[in-house]
Amino acid sequence: MFSGSIVRQGEISALVYATGESTYFGKTAHLVEEAHTVSHFQRAVLKIGNYLIILALILVSVIIIVAIVRGDPILTTLQFALVLTVASIL
């Protein structure tokens, strides 16, 4: 009798020598569980997210530089930059 066999009728005495991950099906299940593949969609979403983060950092830098040049209050500028950063992440 092989692992994964189905007995429909009858009787047999058997010695079990491997269970769980030690069996053929267990090893296959373990390999599937360990596989960490990234789909094309996930890669595209991560790439778009990275571009948006870079764009947000550039915008925050420009806002801070312009605020310093114009003499705007730093606290108000930092609050606006924080709002822009949070909005771009969400």
Side-chain angles (χ1 to χ4, degrees):
M1 178 166 25
F2 298 102
S3 65
S5 299
I6 298 173
V7 178
R8 298 205 184 270
Q9 185 177 3
E11 294 181 16
I12 190 169
S13 295
L15 173 64
V16 176
Y17 63 93
T19 60
E21 288 186 12
S22 301
T23 64
Y24 177 75
F25 291 120
K27 289 177 186 175
T28 304
H30 183 69
L31 287 174
V32 169
E33 182 179 302
E34 284 184 347
H36 297 287
T37 59
V38 179
S39 70
H40 177 69
F41 179 72
Q42 287 173 327
R43 283 193 300 258
V45 168
L46 290 174
K47 187 180 267 189
I48 292 169
N50 289 338
Y51 286 133
L52 290 175
I53 290 171
I54 291 169
L55 181 64
L57 291 175
I58 291 170
L59 287 174
V60 166
S61 301
V62 169
I63 288 171
I64 291 175
I65 291 170
V66 169
I68 290 172
V69 170
R70 289 176 44 181
D72 291 341
I74 295 297
L75 185 60
T76 305
T77 305
L78 290 177
Q79 287 174 342
F80 181 70
L82 179 65
V83 168
L84 177 66
T85 305
V86 170
S88 66
I89 292 172
L90 296 177

